PDB file of all heavy atoms in Angstrom:
ATOM      1  N   ALA O 818      -7.720  16.186 -10.095  1.00  0.00           N
ATOM      2  CA  ALA O 818      -7.728  16.350  -8.677  1.00  0.00           C
ATOM      3  C   ALA O 818      -9.009  16.107  -8.044  1.00  0.00           C
ATOM      4  O   ALA O 818      -9.094  15.904  -6.885  1.00  0.00           O
ATOM      5  CB  ALA O 818      -7.257  17.833  -8.406  1.00  0.00           C
ATOM      6  N   GLU O 820     -10.993  13.490  -8.916  1.00  0.00           N
ATOM      7  CA  GLU O 820     -11.410  12.076  -9.106  1.00  0.00           C
ATOM      8  C   GLU O 820     -10.597  11.204  -8.215  1.00  0.00           C
ATOM      9  O   GLU O 820      -9.366  11.384  -8.026  1.00  0.00           O
ATOM     10  CB  GLU O 820     -11.184  11.703 -10.565  1.00  0.00           C
ATOM     11  CG  GLU O 820     -12.011  12.448 -11.485  1.00  0.00           C
ATOM     12  CD  GLU O 820     -11.737  12.166 -12.960  1.00  0.00           C
ATOM     13  OE1 GLU O 820     -10.547  11.907 -13.311  1.00  0.00           O
ATOM     14  OE2 GLU O 820     -12.652  12.196 -13.791  1.00  0.00           O
ATOM     15  N   ILE O 823     -11.945   3.836  -6.420  1.00  0.00           N
ATOM     16  CA  ILE O 823     -12.489   3.198  -5.274  1.00  0.00           C
ATOM     17  C   ILE O 823     -12.427   1.645  -5.598  1.00  0.00           C
ATOM     18  O   ILE O 823     -12.900   1.315  -6.660  1.00  0.00           O
ATOM     19  CB  ILE O 823     -13.956   3.581  -4.911  1.00  0.00           C
ATOM     20  CG1 ILE O 823     -14.023   5.054  -4.515  1.00  0.00           C
ATOM     21  CG2 ILE O 823     -14.477   2.747  -3.776  1.00  0.00           C
ATOM     22  CD1 ILE O 823     -15.380   5.520  -4.549  1.00  0.00           C
ATOM     23  N   GLU O 827     -16.125  -6.040  -6.778  1.00  0.00           N
ATOM     24  CA  GLU O 827     -16.581  -6.128  -8.143  1.00  0.00           C
ATOM     25  C   GLU O 827     -15.616  -5.469  -9.125  1.00  0.00           C
ATOM     26  O   GLU O 827     -15.759  -5.585 -10.369  1.00  0.00           O
ATOM     27  CB  GLU O 827     -18.018  -5.485  -8.317  1.00  0.00           C
ATOM     28  CG  GLU O 827     -19.076  -6.270  -7.702  1.00  0.00           C
ATOM     29  CD  GLU O 827     -19.097  -5.995  -6.087  1.00  0.00           C
ATOM     30  OE1 GLU O 827     -18.756  -4.930  -5.676  1.00  0.00           O
ATOM     31  OE2 GLU O 827     -19.614  -6.927  -5.513  1.00  0.00           O
ATOM     32  N   GLN O 837     -20.206  14.610  -8.592  1.00  0.00           N
ATOM     33  CA  GLN O 837     -20.787  13.706  -7.587  1.00  0.00           C
ATOM     34  C   GLN O 837     -21.458  12.453  -8.320  1.00  0.00           C
ATOM     35  O   GLN O 837     -22.510  12.047  -8.114  1.00  0.00           O
ATOM     36  CB  GLN O 837     -21.872  14.415  -6.727  1.00  0.00           C
ATOM     37  CG  GLN O 837     -21.149  15.474  -5.911  1.00  0.00           C
ATOM     38  CD  GLN O 837     -22.195  16.095  -4.992  1.00  0.00           C
ATOM     39  OE1 GLN O 837     -23.422  15.736  -4.842  1.00  0.00           O
ATOM     40  NE2 GLN O 837     -21.753  17.089  -4.247  1.00  0.00           N
ATOM     41  N   ASN O 847     -12.486  -9.163  -7.390  1.00  0.00           N
ATOM     42  CA  ASN O 847     -11.416  -9.442  -6.323  1.00  0.00           C
ATOM     43  C   ASN O 847     -10.245  -8.657  -6.195  1.00  0.00           C
ATOM     44  O   ASN O 847      -9.147  -9.057  -5.862  1.00  0.00           O
ATOM     45  CB  ASN O 847     -11.069 -10.919  -6.403  1.00  0.00           C
ATOM     46  CG  ASN O 847     -12.247 -11.873  -6.317  1.00  0.00           C
ATOM     47  OD1 ASN O 847     -13.152 -11.677  -5.506  1.00  0.00           O
ATOM     48  ND2 ASN O 847     -12.356 -12.921  -7.152  1.00  0.00           N
ATOM     49  N   SER O 849      -8.224  -5.545  -4.273  1.00  0.00           N
ATOM     50  CA  SER O 849      -8.192  -5.145  -2.821  1.00  0.00           C
ATOM     51  C   SER O 849      -7.237  -4.014  -2.727  1.00  0.00           C
ATOM     52  O   SER O 849      -6.496  -3.640  -3.496  1.00  0.00           O
ATOM     53  CB  SER O 849      -7.608  -6.342  -2.032  1.00  0.00           C
ATOM     54  OG  SER O 849      -6.348  -6.666  -2.405  1.00  0.00           O
ATOM     55  N   VAL O 854      -1.901   5.605  -9.193  1.00  0.00           N
ATOM     56  CA  VAL O 854      -1.816   6.122 -10.558  1.00  0.00           C
ATOM     57  C   VAL O 854      -0.448   6.799 -10.676  1.00  0.00           C
ATOM     58  O   VAL O 854      -0.119   7.717  -9.851  1.00  0.00           O
ATOM     59  CB  VAL O 854      -2.958   7.223 -10.787  1.00  0.00           C
ATOM     60  CG1 VAL O 854      -2.805   7.681 -12.259  1.00  0.00           C
ATOM     61  CG2 VAL O 854      -4.321   6.606 -10.658  1.00  0.00           C
ATOM     62  N   SER O 856       2.837   8.809 -12.838  1.00  0.00           N
ATOM     63  CA  SER O 856       2.893  10.059 -13.597  1.00  0.00           C
ATOM     64  C   SER O 856       2.453   9.933 -15.025  1.00  0.00           C
ATOM     65  O   SER O 856       2.240  10.879 -15.695  1.00  0.00           O
ATOM     66  CB  SER O 856       4.324  10.615 -13.439  1.00  0.00           C
ATOM     67  OG  SER O 856       5.208   9.755 -13.942  1.00  0.00           O
ATOM     68  N   TYR O 861      -2.064   1.092 -11.100  1.00  0.00           N
ATOM     69  CA  TYR O 861      -1.590  -0.192 -10.583  1.00  0.00           C
ATOM     70  C   TYR O 861      -2.619  -0.707  -9.530  1.00  0.00           C
ATOM     71  O   TYR O 861      -3.155   0.118  -8.720  1.00  0.00           O
ATOM     72  CB  TYR O 861      -0.294  -0.009  -9.854  1.00  0.00           C
ATOM     73  CG  TYR O 861       0.834   0.360 -10.846  1.00  0.00           C
ATOM     74  CD1 TYR O 861       0.999   1.604 -11.390  1.00  0.00           C
ATOM     75  CD2 TYR O 861       1.736  -0.674 -11.212  1.00  0.00           C
ATOM     76  CE1 TYR O 861       2.034   1.832 -12.274  1.00  0.00           C
ATOM     77  CE2 TYR O 861       2.815  -0.438 -12.058  1.00  0.00           C
ATOM     78  CZ  TYR O 861       2.917   0.853 -12.657  1.00  0.00           C
ATOM     79  OH  TYR O 861       3.925   1.092 -13.581  1.00  0.00           O
ATOM     80  N   GLY O 867      -0.980 -10.790  -6.673  1.00  0.00           N
ATOM     81  CA  GLY O 867      -0.220  -9.974  -7.709  1.00  0.00           C
ATOM     82  C   GLY O 867      -0.585  -8.478  -7.805  1.00  0.00           C
ATOM     83  O   GLY O 867      -1.550  -8.097  -7.340  1.00  0.00           O
ATOM     84  N   PHE O 878       0.077  -8.131 -15.542  1.00  0.00           N
ATOM     85  CA  PHE O 878       0.527  -8.437 -14.216  1.00  0.00           C
ATOM     86  C   PHE O 878       2.137  -8.018 -14.289  1.00  0.00           C
ATOM     87  O   PHE O 878       2.874  -8.450 -15.188  1.00  0.00           O
ATOM     88  CB  PHE O 878       0.285  -9.767 -13.797  1.00  0.00           C
ATOM     89  CG  PHE O 878      -1.077  -9.887 -13.223  1.00  0.00           C
ATOM     90  CD1 PHE O 878      -2.115 -10.217 -13.996  1.00  0.00           C
ATOM     91  CD2 PHE O 878      -1.329  -9.638 -11.881  1.00  0.00           C
ATOM     92  CE1 PHE O 878      -3.426 -10.310 -13.512  1.00  0.00           C
ATOM     93  CE2 PHE O 878      -2.571  -9.681 -11.312  1.00  0.00           C
ATOM     94  CZ  PHE O 878      -3.628  -9.997 -12.194  1.00  0.00           C
ATOM     95  N   LEU O 889      -0.084  -0.677  -1.772  1.00  0.00           N
ATOM     96  CA  LEU O 889       0.726  -0.053  -2.757  1.00  0.00           C
ATOM     97  C   LEU O 889       1.084   1.243  -2.312  1.00  0.00           C
ATOM     98  O   LEU O 889       0.323   2.010  -1.573  1.00  0.00           O
ATOM     99  CB  LEU O 889      -0.012   0.042  -4.072  1.00  0.00           C
ATOM    100  CG  LEU O 889      -0.397  -1.213  -4.872  1.00  0.00           C
ATOM    101  CD1 LEU O 889      -1.169  -0.909  -6.099  1.00  0.00           C
ATOM    102  CD2 LEU O 889       0.872  -1.975  -5.192  1.00  0.00           C
ATOM    103  N   SER O 901       3.943  -6.428   1.442  1.00  0.00           N
ATOM    104  CA  SER O 901       3.219  -7.657   1.759  1.00  0.00           C
ATOM    105  C   SER O 901       3.539  -7.900   3.246  1.00  0.00           C
ATOM    106  O   SER O 901       4.718  -8.052   3.604  1.00  0.00           O
ATOM    107  CB  SER O 901       3.722  -8.787   0.925  1.00  0.00           C
ATOM    108  OG  SER O 901       3.204 -10.046   1.371  1.00  0.00           O
ATOM    109  N   PRO O 908       6.071 -23.850  11.825  1.00  0.00           N
ATOM    110  CA  PRO O 908       7.404 -23.680  11.655  1.00  0.00           C
ATOM    111  C   PRO O 908       7.897 -24.086  10.175  1.00  0.00           C
ATOM    112  O   PRO O 908       7.438 -25.038   9.627  1.00  0.00           O
ATOM    113  CB  PRO O 908       8.025 -24.769  12.616  1.00  0.00           C
ATOM    114  CG  PRO O 908       6.903 -24.844  13.684  1.00  0.00           C
ATOM    115  CD  PRO O 908       5.642 -24.626  12.993  1.00  0.00           C
ATOM    116  N   GLN O 918       9.686  -3.540  -5.098  1.00  0.00           N
ATOM    117  CA  GLN O 918       9.726  -2.522  -6.027  1.00  0.00           C
ATOM    118  C   GLN O 918       9.211  -3.152  -7.365  1.00  0.00           C
ATOM    119  O   GLN O 918       9.769  -4.060  -7.900  1.00  0.00           O
ATOM    120  CB  GLN O 918      10.995  -1.819  -6.262  1.00  0.00           C
ATOM    121  CG  GLN O 918      10.946  -0.723  -7.257  1.00  0.00           C
ATOM    122  CD  GLN O 918      12.276  -0.013  -7.450  1.00  0.00           C
ATOM    123  OE1 GLN O 918      13.376  -0.461  -7.005  1.00  0.00           O
ATOM    124  NE2 GLN O 918      12.248   1.217  -8.070  1.00  0.00           N
ATOM    125  N   THR O 925      10.647  -8.849 -12.796  1.00  0.00           N
ATOM    126  CA  THR O 925      11.754  -7.910 -12.678  1.00  0.00           C
ATOM    127  C   THR O 925      11.615  -7.119 -11.484  1.00  0.00           C
ATOM    128  O   THR O 925      12.166  -5.980 -11.375  1.00  0.00           O
ATOM    129  CB  THR O 925      11.719  -7.010 -13.936  1.00  0.00           C
ATOM    130  OG1 THR O 925      10.536  -6.327 -14.040  1.00  0.00           O
ATOM    131  CG2 THR O 925      12.019  -7.739 -15.146  1.00  0.00           C
ATOM    132  N   GLN O 926      10.902  -7.668 -10.444  1.00  0.00           N
ATOM    133  CA  GLN O 926      10.713  -6.919  -9.199  1.00  0.00           C
ATOM    134  C   GLN O 926      11.940  -7.003  -8.329  1.00  0.00           C
ATOM    135  O   GLN O 926      12.739  -7.971  -8.404  1.00  0.00           O
ATOM    136  CB  GLN O 926       9.508  -7.436  -8.474  1.00  0.00           C
ATOM    137  CG  GLN O 926       9.644  -8.919  -8.012  1.00  0.00           C
ATOM    138  CD  GLN O 926       8.213  -9.503  -7.669  1.00  0.00           C
ATOM    139  OE1 GLN O 926       7.256  -9.147  -8.368  1.00  0.00           O
ATOM    140  NE2 GLN O 926       8.195 -10.355  -6.812  1.00  0.00           N
ATOM    141  N   SER O 942       3.905   2.039   3.649  1.00  0.00           N
ATOM    142  CA  SER O 942       4.194   3.002   2.539  1.00  0.00           C
ATOM    143  C   SER O 942       5.722   3.225   2.443  1.00  0.00           C
ATOM    144  O   SER O 942       6.369   3.396   3.567  1.00  0.00           O
ATOM    145  CB  SER O 942       3.484   4.265   2.735  1.00  0.00           C
ATOM    146  OG  SER O 942       3.723   5.202   1.692  1.00  0.00           O
ATOM    147  N   LYS O 958       9.103   2.949  11.669  1.00  0.00           N
ATOM    148  CA  LYS O 958       9.903   3.071  10.387  1.00  0.00           C
ATOM    149  C   LYS O 958      10.742   1.845  10.346  1.00  0.00           C
ATOM    150  O   LYS O 958      11.430   1.492  11.280  1.00  0.00           O
ATOM    151  CB  LYS O 958      10.816   4.284  10.513  1.00  0.00           C
ATOM    152  CG  LYS O 958      10.214   5.629  10.309  1.00  0.00           C
ATOM    153  CD  LYS O 958      11.293   6.674  10.352  1.00  0.00           C
ATOM    154  CE  LYS O 958      10.892   8.047  10.521  1.00  0.00           C
ATOM    155  NZ  LYS O 958      12.006   9.002  10.491  1.00  0.00           N
ATOM    156  N   LEU O 962      17.898  -2.525   7.861  1.00  0.00           N
ATOM    157  CA  LEU O 962      18.895  -2.341   8.919  1.00  0.00           C
ATOM    158  C   LEU O 962      18.250  -2.362  10.287  1.00  0.00           C
ATOM    159  O   LEU O 962      18.901  -2.542  11.304  1.00  0.00           O
ATOM    160  CB  LEU O 962      19.531  -0.919   8.814  1.00  0.00           C
ATOM    161  CG  LEU O 962      20.315  -0.757   7.453  1.00  0.00           C
ATOM    162  CD1 LEU O 962      20.765   0.680   7.399  1.00  0.00           C
ATOM    163  CD2 LEU O 962      21.395  -1.670   7.369  1.00  0.00           C
ATOM    164  N   ASN O 965      12.529   1.272  13.879  1.00  0.00           N
ATOM    165  CA  ASN O 965      12.505   2.353  14.715  1.00  0.00           C
ATOM    166  C   ASN O 965      11.037   2.719  15.141  1.00  0.00           C
ATOM    167  O   ASN O 965      10.299   3.147  14.208  1.00  0.00           O
ATOM    168  CB  ASN O 965      13.169   3.620  14.048  1.00  0.00           C
ATOM    169  CG  ASN O 965      13.091   4.848  14.885  1.00  0.00           C
ATOM    170  OD1 ASN O 965      12.807   4.785  16.117  1.00  0.00           O
ATOM    171  ND2 ASN O 965      13.187   6.027  14.273  1.00  0.00           N
ATOM    172  N   ILE O 991      -3.613   7.550   7.121  1.00  0.00           N
ATOM    173  CA  ILE O 991      -3.850   6.069   7.287  1.00  0.00           C
ATOM    174  C   ILE O 991      -5.303   5.905   7.399  1.00  0.00           C
ATOM    175  O   ILE O 991      -6.025   6.437   8.231  1.00  0.00           O
ATOM    176  CB  ILE O 991      -3.135   5.569   8.598  1.00  0.00           C
ATOM    177  CG1 ILE O 991      -1.575   5.975   8.421  1.00  0.00           C
ATOM    178  CG2 ILE O 991      -3.313   4.127   8.708  1.00  0.00           C
ATOM    179  CD1 ILE O 991      -0.915   5.824   9.731  1.00  0.00           C
ATOM    180  N   CYS O 993      -8.334   3.341   8.490  1.00  0.00           N
ATOM    181  CA  CYS O 993      -8.468   2.208   9.414  1.00  0.00           C
ATOM    182  C   CYS O 993      -9.890   1.978   9.791  1.00  0.00           C
ATOM    183  O   CYS O 993     -10.705   2.920   9.629  1.00  0.00           O
ATOM    184  CB  CYS O 993      -7.538   2.231  10.521  1.00  0.00           C
ATOM    185  SG  CYS O 993      -7.793   3.660  11.619  1.00  0.00           S
ATOM    186  N   LEU O 998      -9.863   7.976   9.574  1.00  0.00           N
ATOM    187  CA  LEU O 998      -8.658   8.439   8.908  1.00  0.00           C
ATOM    188  C   LEU O 998      -7.775   9.048  10.012  1.00  0.00           C
ATOM    189  O   LEU O 998      -8.247   9.822  10.812  1.00  0.00           O
ATOM    190  CB  LEU O 998      -8.954   9.508   7.858  1.00  0.00           C
ATOM    191  CG  LEU O 998      -9.743   9.017   6.575  1.00  0.00           C
ATOM    192  CD1 LEU O 998     -10.012  10.264   5.749  1.00  0.00           C
ATOM    193  CD2 LEU O 998      -8.920   7.994   5.870  1.00  0.00           C
ATOM    194  N   ILE O1001      -0.331  10.811  10.345  1.00  0.00           N
ATOM    195  CA  ILE O1001       0.889  10.737  11.210  1.00  0.00           C
ATOM    196  C   ILE O1001       2.000  11.470  10.652  1.00  0.00           C
ATOM    197  O   ILE O1001       2.147  11.622   9.388  1.00  0.00           O
ATOM    198  CB  ILE O1001       1.297   9.235  11.428  1.00  0.00           C
ATOM    199  CG1 ILE O1001       2.481   9.164  12.433  1.00  0.00           C
ATOM    200  CG2 ILE O1001       1.586   8.557  10.152  1.00  0.00           C
ATOM    201  CD1 ILE O1001       2.682   7.785  12.975  1.00  0.00           C
TER     202      ILE O1001
END
Side-chain angles (χ1 to χ4, degrees):
E820 296 175 325
I823 301 170
E827 290 80 30
Q837 297 184 2
N847 299 320
S849 62
V854 181
S856 61
Y861 292 79
F878 279 89
L889 295 175
S901 167
Q918 183 176 13
T925 59
Q926 63 198 35
S942 179
K958 285 185 192 179
L962 301 176
N965 177 17
I991 304 165
C993 58
L998 293 174
I1001 185 162

